[in-house]
Amino acid sequence: MKNVQHRRVSVDLFLMVAHRKQSRDMKSDVEELMPRLLPVESYDTEEYNSNEPPRNPQEYLRQVQREASLCPDVVVAQIDPKKLKKKQSVNASITGCLAAPQGFSPSLKWQQQQVSKFSEVRQSVNKHRQHWKSQFLDDNVVMPKVEDEDGWKRFCLGENVCLDIQLKEEDKVNPGLDYIKTGFPPFLSIVSKLNQSTISAVLEYLINWFEERDFVPQLGRWLYALLACLEKPLLPEAHSLIRQLARRCSAVRANLESKDDDRLSALNLMICIVARYFEQNDLADKE
């Protein structure tokens, strides 16, 4: 038994020595290759000061070789977990939309017409984006920071919707232009200033709000505008978001009691854009 243990220790010691020798040999091989890859003339250490900027190509190559020789073989990155994005994983559900009640789904011709109009809108947005992006916004238009979810909900939908404030009859007839209460419309001068990460973030905020609330006109306008600014090919986050939107629209549609409901056309439009334009064909309404 002692002989077996002695042999095992000897083998382990031999492997450790061999590994260290291999590492030294590999390092020496690299050092031998360096002069041939970057041929640099020998220099006098007294004349060359590595702390000063290189004065010619030869000194620059010497500095590169010296810095490379000081680099460790293995380095470990120091990562701050606080800076990591909270939602690293993207779960793209493959479940489809709820079937529309009898007579509630649009015809294929209608869907094709909406896709054509939506494509024209996207082309127009791209054509005029740079012009409107350079325009100054009015003093009353203060866009929230990208991480301010509640701020974006109020900016897009207005305080009346977000805080569920019941309007008086006279306010419904003549609501005025108090955008703080009614929400800012998605003017081209506003949406043109949003980059793709902000567009995805605002889409997520509004869709999350929609998951727990009913469909309102302000929401429809902003969803249409954001989808018109969403670049293809879609990022995984955006892909998951628009599918979530279509499924939610189908769920609200399934609970409508009348084909004359004002929300029906907007809900069908959202499903159509996601399914037909962004090619999520499994979500499309069939005739």
Side-chain angles (χ1 to χ4, degrees), residues 28-153:
S28 62
D29 291 342
V30 173
E31 292 173 350
E32 290 178 1
L33 285 173
M34 287 296 288
R36 283 180 285 178
L37 293 172
L38 298 172
V40 182
E41 298 177 0
S42 60
Y43 58 92
D44 189 349
T45 56
E46 295 181 359
E47 295 180 0
Y48 173 65
N49 187 353
S50 61
N51 295 325
E52 295 181 358
R55 294 168 294 183
N56 53 55
Q58 292 293 327
E59 289 189 359
Y60 171 75
L61 293 177
R62 291 171 192 156
Q63 184 173 339
V64 171
Q65 286 186 342
R66 181 177 178 277
E67 291 176 355
S69 66
L70 297 177
C71 292
D73 294 336
V74 178
V75 294
V76 179
Q78 299 297 327
I79 300 176
D80 185 2
K82 297 180 180 179
K83 295 183 178 180
L84 294 176
K85 192 174 180 181
K86 293 181 180 179
K87 298 180 180 180
Q88 292 288 324
S89 301
V90 178
N91 298 319
S93 175
I94 58 174
T95 57
C97 290
L98 294 178
Q102 185 68 30
F104 282 55
S105 61
S107 65
L108 180 58
K109 181 179 179 180
W110 183 90
Q111 295 181 61
Q112 292 171 342
Q113 290 173 345
Q114 300 310 314
V115 169
S116 177
K117 291 179 181 178
F118 182 70
S119 180
E120 292 176 1
V121 170
R122 285 175 61 91
Q123 292 175 12
S124 179
V125 169
N126 291 330
K127 182 179 179 180
H128 300 99
R129 181 188 296 273
Q130 291 303 321
H131 168 74
W132 286 107
K133 188 177 181 180
S134 62
Q135 301 299 310
F136 291 101
L137 297 175
D138 293 339
D139 294 337
N140 66 325
V141 183
V142 180
M143 290 193 293
K145 295 182 180 180
V146 64
E147 66 273 8
D148 185 3
E149 181 171 354
D150 290 335
W152 274 108
K153 290 176 182 177

Side-chain angles (χ1 to χ4, degrees), residues 164-189:
D164 198 18
I165 298 175
Q166 300 296 326
L167 297 180
K168 299 178 181 179
E169 289 300 326
E170 57 268 22
D171 293 333
K172 293 181 180 179
V173 176
N174 186 19
L177 289 177
D178 189 350
Y179 290 138
I180 301 299
K181 294 182 179 180
T182 63
F184 287 89
F187 294 126
L188 201 53
S189 57

Side-chain angles (χ1 to χ4, degrees), residues 125-251:
V125 169
N126 291 330
K127 182 179 179 180
H128 300 99
R129 181 188 296 273
Q130 291 303 321
H131 168 74
W132 286 107
K133 188 177 181 180
S134 62
Q135 301 299 310
F136 291 101
L137 297 175
D138 293 339
D139 294 337
N140 66 325
V141 183
V142 180
M143 290 193 293
K145 295 182 180 180
V146 64
E147 66 273 8
D148 185 3
E149 181 171 354
D150 290 335
W152 274 108
K153 290 176 182 177
R154 288 178 175 166
F155 183 85
C156 299
L157 306 177
E159 291 184 351
N160 291 343
V161 172
C162 290
L163 302 179
D164 198 18
I165 298 175
Q166 300 296 326
L167 297 180
K168 299 178 181 179
E169 289 300 326
E170 57 268 22
D171 293 333
K172 293 181 180 179
V173 176
N174 186 19
L177 289 177
D178 189 350
Y179 290 138
I180 301 299
K181 294 182 179 180
T182 63
F184 287 89
F187 294 126
L188 201 53
S189 57
I190 294 178
V191 296
S192 295
K193 297 183 185 301
L194 306 181
N195 57 33
Q196 289 299 299
S197 60
T198 304
I199 290 171
S200 295
V202 178
L203 259 179
E204 181 178 3
Y205 301 153
L206 296 181
I207 293 172
N208 288 342
W209 181 91
F210 184 33
E211 285 287 348
E212 301 176 355
R213 304 288 188 91
D214 202 353
F215 190 89
V216 294
Q218 297 93 320
L219 176 66
R221 287 192 289 265
W222 267 98
L223 290 175
Y224 190 91
L226 293 172
L227 291 175
C229 297
L230 196 61
E231 293 180 356
K232 296 174 69 176
L234 297 178
L235 296 175
E237 294 87 351
H239 178 273
S240 177
L241 281 173
I242 65 172
R243 290 182 63 86
Q244 180 183 350
L245 170 61
R247 290 194 300 271
R248 174 56 181 165
C249 288
S250 71

